[in-house]
Amino acid sequence: MKKDIYILGLETSCDETAAAIIKNGREIVSNVVASQIESHKRFGGVVPEIASRHHVEQITLVLEETLKQASMTFEDLNAIAVTKGPGLVGSLLIGVNTAKALAFAHQLPVIGVHHIAGHIYANRLIEEFTFPLLSLVVSGGHTELVLMKEHGKFEVIGETRDDAAGEAYDKVARTLGLPYPGGPHIDRLAHEGEATVDLPRAWLEEGSYDFSFSGLKSAVINTLHNAKQRGIEIQPENLAASFQQSVIEVLTVKTVKAAKEFGVKQVLLAGGVAANKGLRTSLEAAFSETEGVQLIIPPLSLCTDNAAMIGAAGTILYEKGIFEDLAMNGYPSLDIEQG
Ligand code: KG4
Ligand code: ZN
C-alpha cells in the first residue's frame, strides 16, 4: 500500500498570509488564511511594504494554527511547498525564507510552486483531473487560458495583452467610488442593474485566445466623465452590469471556443475573479450545452489566494521529485511554462 503524502503549503505572494496541510494532493487537512485587505483598503490597493510587514507578523501564527488544526507536527510532514513567484518580491521572500528555514530545521525537502499553478490545482481539491484540460485563470494579476495534457505541465494558449480581468474590475470599481478590492462590489452592483450602456468587446484577431481589458476600462471611465460633463446621470448599477457583461461575454466565448478546438475533457475556473457570480453562471450555462466537457468551479474560499492550492500543486512536484535547494529565491515574474 502507498503511504500517504502530507505537504505543508505556504502562500505569501500578495496580501494573504496562508498555510495549509494537504493529504495526497487532494484532501485539505487544515487551511488557514489571514487576509490583510483591511490594512490596504484605505490606500485603494495593495501597498507592497505594508504587505511584507504583515506577512512577517502573521506567518508564524498562521503556521502554528495550521499545525494545531491538523493535530500534526513537522515530523508528520513529507515536504514544505511555497509560492516562489510571481508576486510582490518582498511578500514572496517572507514565504520563501520561512519555507527554507523550516525545511532546514526539520530536515524536510522544500518545493517551489508557481502561484498560478496553485490556482489551477485548487480545482483538484474538488475533482480529480482528466486530461487534456483547459483552465481559465482570472485573477488580479493574470488572465490566461492554460492547456494541460499532463500533471505539472502548462501551456499558455492565450493571455491578456494589458490589464488582468481583476485589475480592470478593481479600476472600474475605484472610478465608481467603490472600496478595494472592487470585484465583489461590481459583481453585486451588476446584479442590481441592467446592461444598458453600450461598451466594447475586445475580440482581437480571428483565432486569438488573447484578451485585452484596458480599452473596456477606458470606455467605462470615459462614459462616466462624459455623462458628468453633460450633466447626464448614469446609474452605477447599469454601468457595472454593462461592464460585467462585456468581460463575461469575452471570457465565456473564448473559453468555449478553445475547449472545443483542443478537445478538452475538463474546463477549470481559477483565480480570484472565479468568485464572480455572473461568470460562474455564464460558464455553467455555456458548458451545459457543450457535450463531453466537465466544468469545475471551486468554492469561493479556494478561488482567492490560499495555501491549500499551493500544497495541492506542490504534491505533484513532490511526486516528480522536483525540489529546490536553499538558494531558492522569490521570482516576481516567474513564467508558468518554465515553472
Ligand atoms: O487570485 P486573487 O485572490 O489574487 C491574485 O492573485 O491576483 O484575485 C484577486 C482579484 C481582485 O482583483 C478582486 O477584485 C477579484 O479577484 N475578485 C472579483 C470577485 N471577487 C474577487 N472580481 C470579480 N467578481 C468577484 N466576485
Ligand atoms: Zn492569486
Side-chain angles (χ1 to χ4, degrees):
M1 213 175 75
K2 240 174 104 181
K3 264 189 83 187
D4 291 329
I5 301 167
Y6 291 94
I7 306 284
L8 170 70
L10 295 176
E11 155 66 40
T12 64
S13 68
C14 191
D15 59 347
E16 331 278 346
T17 317
I21 294 172
I22 300 300
K23 180 181 174 184
N24 298 328
R26 298 222 40 223
E27 208 179 299
I28 298 174
V29 183
S30 63
N31 184 22
V32 179
V33 182
S35 172
Q36 310 175 355
I37 284 179
E38 285 308 316
S39 305
H40 298 286
K41 233 178 198 166
R42 66 193 173 107
F43 302 105
V46 177
V47 184
E49 288 80 3
I50 295 178
S52 312
R53 278 176 211 196
H54 276 298
H55 287 308
V56 173
E57 284 167 15
Q58 292 296 318
I59 190 83
T60 314
L61 299 171
V62 168
L63 196 62
E64 280 171 1
E65 183 62 23
T66 305
L67 288 164
K68 196 173 134 202
Q69 281 186 14
S71 304
M72 289 173 92
T73 68
F74 283 99
E75 279 173 21
D76 302 312
L77 300 173
N78 294 78
I80 300 170
V82 62
T83 307
K84 65 173 179 179
L88 303 169
V89 70
S91 293
L92 287 167
L93 282 172
I94 312 302
V96 165
N97 286 326
T98 304
K100 289 199 292 189
L102 292 172
F104 180 69
H106 299 283
Q107 295 293 300
L108 287 167
V110 63
I111 298 163
V113 176
H114 190 287
H115 181 75
I116 298 302
H119 273 301
I120 294 172
Y121 270 87
N123 284 277
R124 197 168 175 239
L125 297 165
I126 310 304
E127 187 76 40
E128 182 55 287
F129 286 1
T130 316
F131 300 107
L133 64 79
L134 181 71
S135 199
L136 172 63
V137 181
V138 274
S139 76
H142 296 260
T143 299
E144 38 202 47
L145 279 167
V146 182
L147 182 66
M148 287 179 71
K149 293 177 186 149
E150 59 179 283
H151 277 302
K153 288 252 181 298
F154 310 92
E155 202 182 313
V156 178
I157 61 162
E159 62 195 329
T160 185
R161 294 183 185 174
D162 38 62
D163 290 358
E167 200 178 346
Y169 264 95
D170 293 340
K171 286 181 184 162
V172 164
R174 198 172 177 163
T175 313
L176 287 172
L178 298 166
Y180 174 85
H185 297 283
I186 298 272
D187 194 10
R188 178 181 40 79
L189 213 56
H191 284 87
E192 292 166 13
E194 274 179 58
T196 52
V197 185
D198 195 20
L199 293 173
R201 278 130 179 83
W203 296 111
L204 308 176
E205 330 66 83
E206 179 68 30
S208 171
Y209 289 118
D210 280 352
F211 302 98
S212 165
F213 294 107
S214 74
L216 171 63
K217 175 195 69 190
S218 303
V220 173
I221 295 170
N222 289 342
T223 305
L224 268 177
H225 284 175
N226 289 343
K228 211 173 188 181
Q229 271 176 357
R230 290 198 212 127
I232 304 167
E233 210 186 313
I234 290 194
Q235 298 297 322
E237 58 271 30
N238 290 348
L239 196 54
S242 310
F243 166 76
Q244 173 137 314
Q245 194 185 62
S246 172
V247 174
I248 289 173
E249 195 179 311
V250 176
L251 290 175
T252 306
V253 169
K254 291 208 179 207
T255 306
V256 171
K257 197 160 168 264
K260 285 183 182 157
E261 183 183 331
F262 292 94
V264 301
K265 299 205 174 83
Q266 285 178 331
V267 168
L268 324 178
L269 188 54
V273 185
N276 187 275
K277 286 195 204 75
L279 179 60
R280 296 163 91 96
T281 311
S282 166
L283 287 174
E284 272 160 10
F287 283 101
S288 68
E289 291 164 13
T290 315
E291 235 170 272
V293 184
Q294 181 189 22
L295 175 69
I296 306 168
I297 303 184
L300 300 191
S301 60
L302 292 176
C303 289
T304 44
D305 288 350
N306 63 85
M309 66 186 199
I310 302 303
T315 307
I316 298 298
L317 296 170
Y318 178 84
E319 287 170 334
K320 290 188 175 198
I322 302 173
F323 301 108
E324 302 282 338
D325 57 30
L326 295 182
M328 174 173 52
N329 209 337
Y331 305 95
S333 42
L334 189 67
D335 185 334
I336 194 169
E337 291 183 340
Q338 257 99 57

